[in-house]
Amino acid sequence: MIWNEKIETMEPLALKDIQSDRLKKLVAYIYKNCSVYKKKFDDAKITPDQIKTIDDIKRLPFTVKEDMRDNYPYGLFSASPKDLVELHVSSGTTGNPTLVGYTKDDIKLWSDVMARTICCAGAEPGDTIQIAYGYGLFTGGLGFHYGAMEMGLKIIPTSSGQTSRQLKIMRDFGPRILACTPSYCLYMADEAKDMGLNPADSSWKIGIFGAEPWSASMRKEIQQIWGMLATDVYGLSEIIGPGVAQECKYQDGLHIFSDVFFPEIINPQTGQEMPPGKDGELVITTLTKQGIPLIRYRTRDVASINYEKCRCGRTSPRISKIKGRTDDMIVVRGINVFPSQIEHVLLGIEGTHPHYQIIVDRQAHKLDTVEVLVEVDEKVFSDEVKKLHEFEERIKMEIEGLLSIGVKVTLVEPKTIQRSEGKAKRVIDKRIL
Ligand code: DLL
């Protein structure tokens, strides 16, 4: 079943008309209502009337995450804060957090694209969905909730964690659809075996997995262990949350809902468009959002694009699986981590050096682990073991407080972390993604 059949199977030329019309309206709306964008346009010597078709999008300036942070909280919004009905905030790095806010119409849009997403994965009206993405400030839980509600599914909002309870709920209520991060799904398999359950007997037949990178081999393993179809969902808070792109049952690229999220793939160095099939940075324009619409937002995610019609009947372009990042962000258990956040904590603690290394690992597809090696002063290091331990705990608590993920902190002697002449190697990612 295709949720929004008219839009999702529309001929490319008709779709282009809609995109052009929406872009013109968007540019006029933003220019009028957001002084930060007005200045960006003025600096680039662009006026809204110069934008006539979707092809003119290339003339518009890019937007980057720093634009959101620098204009925190509401500077980059086009709607008035009083018209917002929901806010999501991500943890900050050295400065401001990233704030995204939705108007009532934005929530309707989110519900629609999430219904398209869940349907694209293979859900049917009458299904039950277990939503094991985090609810709260993370956009995963609520995004799925709105979409499932729009579709009229029966929702079990378990949120993330409490694994044995997740499994009992699955056993007792038989949901056919599971939504969570792929690594959590694999983690649950081990717990199921410990509880004496056979994952192959599970009621989950379709998984909607995303919020973090995952490999083809991980997909194979999930499908084999659980006997389910494991589909990939992509999204980011700045654009809307989950609901930007989703795989159908053919698992041959993620359908991007380009009538509302217009995609471009660019060379991250030159900003020039990359041809279909070639990897580059995914850039997205939100064509209909009201609260905080973004023009040519640099996602920093690396992917390619394919404009051919899919066997499922959808005509929307498909992006490849996300193949990496153009910056140093890492995604750990679905949470975005920048090394600069850890650096910020260390700089605030006397006795540590800004020499550190973050080691990310995933043992046999279990949940990701993060170890932070921190160089400390001679003085600290010569302290008694108890004091060292307390110091370790303090750093751990501060990092965990900022990042909202568990980490292991290991203090090391001065000058033990390898120095580099160029860019310091802050992250050692041992995961096979
Ligand atoms: O992760 C939204 C989301 C929730 C997507 C639930 C899918 C499911 P953020 O926390 O803002 O939003 O993180 C966005 O996570 O720029 C990617 O780097 C990464 N990411 C998201 N989905 C995928 C995926 C949510 N399917 C950042 N594959 C993005 C690889 C992904 N990376």
Side-chain angles (χ1 to χ4, degrees):
M1 179 187 171
I2 297 180
W3 181 252
N4 194 331
E5 194 151 2
K6 184 164 168 250
I7 284 282
E8 292 180 77
T9 61
M10 187 170 264
E11 284 309 315
L13 278 178
L15 181 62
K16 204 170 163 182
D17 281 347
I18 292 185
Q19 290 165 333
S20 296
D21 190 47
R22 287 181 173 171
L23 182 67
K24 279 190 282 185
K25 287 195 180 121
L26 171 77
V27 168
Y29 170 70
I30 283 189
Y31 193 79
K32 180 161 168 252
N33 294 297
C34 177
S35 57
V36 175
Y37 263 119
K38 182 176 182 306
K39 181 167 182 316
K40 263 177 173 287
F41 280 42
D42 291 346
D43 290 348
K45 303 210 177 351
I46 298 276
T47 53
D49 56 302
Q50 289 170 334
I51 305 303
K52 297 195 164 43
T53 76
I54 192 73
D55 297 330
D56 293 324
I57 202 164
K58 296 187 185 67
R59 303 174 64 177
L60 298 173
F62 290 116
T63 308
V64 292
K65 196 170 201 138
E66 291 70 43
D67 289 322
M68 301 180 84
R69 295 220 171 105
D70 294 349
N71 295 291
Y72 180 84
Y74 294 111
L76 209 64
F77 279 69
S78 290
S80 152
K82 72 174 176 18
D83 293 327
L84 303 175
V85 297
E86 189 168 319
L87 301 179
H88 287 257
V89 192
S90 73
S91 63
T93 47
T94 47
N96 293 322
T98 312
L99 166 70
V100 292
Y102 306 75
T103 64
K104 224 170 171 175
D105 282 344
D106 290 339
I107 298 287
K108 277 193 201 141
L109 166 69
W110 201 10
S111 307
D112 175 55
V113 289
M114 278 311 299
R116 295 190 209 178
T117 296
I118 298 168
C119 212
C120 187
E124 307 259 344
D127 272 333
T128 301
I129 183 169
Q130 182 163 349
I131 302 177
Y133 282 110
Y135 281 64
L137 291 177
F138 180 54
T139 54
L142 277 167
F144 271 87
H145 198 95
Y146 291 137
M149 191 73 104
E150 179 78 9
M151 271 190 83
L153 304 188
K154 187 182 287 159
I155 302 170
I156 313 183
T158 45
S159 194
S160 52
Q162 303 208 40
T163 309
S164 58
R165 201 171 71 168
Q166 300 271 4
L167 292 162
K168 280 195 199 104
I169 283 175
M170 182 268 283
R171 191 193 53 196
D172 295 349
F173 302 104
R176 205 170 72 90
I177 321 288
L178 169 68
C180 65
T181 59
S183 53
Y184 189 53
C185 178
L186 271 179
Y187 177 84
M188 284 198 284
D190 287 341
E191 180 101 9
K193 286 176 205 153
D194 290 348
M195 285 168 69
L197 299 174
N198 180 2
D201 296 337
S202 104
S203 67
W204 295 324
K205 293 294 166 246
I206 295 173
I208 314 181
F209 303 124
E212 64 185 9
W214 54 305
S215 59
S217 67
M218 212 166 146
R219 160 145 49 208
K220 211 166 140 200
E221 195 167 343
I222 292 178
Q223 298 196 143
Q224 267 169 5
I225 294 179
W226 287 105
M228 66 159 93
L229 180 84
T231 68
D232 195 355
V233 56
Y234 170 78
L236 60 166
S237 327
E238 298 92 308
I239 296 302
I240 197 137
V244 175
Q246 167 67 38
E247 271 179 346
C248 66
K249 65 177 178 191
Y250 294 106
Q251 300 177 316
D252 190 14
L254 288 77
H255 291 276
I256 181 158
F257 305 122
S258 66
D259 60 305
V260 284
F261 305 128
F262 185 78
E264 297 170 81
I265 302 285
I266 63 159
N267 175 326
Q269 270 83 43
T270 64
Q272 294 301 310
E273 188 180 355
M274 298 295 287
K278 293 271 181 265
D279 288 347
E281 182 178 334
L282 175 64
V283 170
I284 301 177
T285 299
T286 63
L287 292 175
T288 58
K289 231 166 67 162
Q290 294 178 341
I292 178 162
L294 297 178
I295 288 193
R296 305 192 84 198
Y297 183 70
R298 306 270 309 245
T299 65
R300 309 287 176 203
D301 289 318
V302 176
S304 63
I305 198 159
N306 171 5
Y307 290 95
E308 283 162 27
K309 183 174 170 176
C310 179
R311 279 173 287 169
C312 72
R314 289 177 182 81
T315 47
S316 46
R318 279 167 285 160
I319 56 167
S320 64
K321 258 184 170 305
I322 301 300
K323 297 174 183 173
R325 297 273 306 171
T326 63
D327 61 11
D328 58 0
M329 184 183 96
I330 42 175
V331 187
V332 179
R333 277 174 255 155
I335 294 181
N336 305 343
V337 176
F338 288 92
S340 53
Q341 291 178 298
I342 289 173
E343 189 166 309
H344 177 66
V345 169
L346 297 181
L347 284 171
I349 299 178
E350 207 183 318
T352 65
H353 289 281
H355 293 296
Y356 61 93
Q357 211 153 41
I358 305 163
I359 300 169
V360 191
D361 208 351
R362 180 181 291 168
Q363 262 114 28
H365 294 313
K366 298 225 185 75
L367 288 187
D368 300 339
T369 55
V370 181
E371 181 179 12
V372 186
L373 304 183
V374 183
E375 267 186 27
V376 288
D377 280 349
E378 292 281 7
K379 196 182 138 301
V380 174
F381 219 83
S382 56
D383 277 344
E384 55 193 82
V385 176
K386 186 167 162 269
K387 275 201 180 147
L388 267 180
H389 189 64
E390 280 168 7
F391 197 58
E392 231 166 45
E393 272 301 300
R394 184 176 153 213
I395 301 174
K396 176 177 155 69
M397 272 169 62
E398 289 208 20
I399 295 177
E400 291 183 344
L402 184 69
L403 300 182
S404 314
I405 49 165
V407 297
K408 175 171 184 246
V409 169
T410 307
L411 302 182
V412 295
E413 282 183 69
K415 303 206 176 67
T416 39
I417 291 178
Q418 205 185 352
R419 305 294 194 259
S420 148
E421 292 188 350
K423 238 168 125 51
K425 187 148 176 60
R426 297 297 191 202
V427 180
I428 298 180
D429 199 337
K430 296 183 172 167
R431 296 172 296 182
I432 301 158
L433 296 174

